[in-house]
Amino acid sequence: LHLSIRRQRQMCIRDRLKAVVYDILGKQVMNKSITNSIDISQLDKGVYILHLSDGAKLTTQRIIKN
């Protein structure tokens, strides 16, 4: 399962993004440099918090994997 990333206008579109995924308890479960998608197939079902950063801007999204 790949999660596609649509960048906000403020985030630089040519650079890679740092993606950090945390489980609901706050434990970091993934830390990758990505361009436009992230593979979450190895994660168990549940709720996760995704932090995306281009080095200047940070955005946070909740992920629910069924």
Side-chain angles (χ1 to χ4, degrees):
L1 177 63
H2 286 268
L3 183 65
S4 293
I5 307 298
R6 280 190 271 163
R7 297 172 188 238
Q8 297 176 353
R9 288 183 186 174
Q10 298 91 348
M11 295 187 112
C12 186
I13 59 172
R14 68 181 182 275
D15 294 334
R16 296 177 68 82
L17 295 175
K18 180 178 178 184
V20 183
V21 180
Y22 299 92
D23 67 14
I24 198 66
L25 299 175
K27 179 182 173 190
Q28 182 177 307
V29 294
M30 185 180 296
N31 186 341
K32 293 189 175 193
S33 180
I34 63 169
T35 52
N36 61 357
S37 69
I38 186 170
D39 181 6
I40 60 169
S41 61
Q42 75 278 12
L43 297 179
D44 293 333
K45 292 180 181 179
V47 179
Y48 297 91
I49 304 299
L50 170 64
H51 288 210
L52 291 172
S53 174
D54 67 358
K57 303 277 185 191
L58 174 69
T59 187
T60 302
Q61 295 292 316
R62 183 175 60 167
I63 303 170
I64 300 173
K65 184 175 177 193
N66 295 323

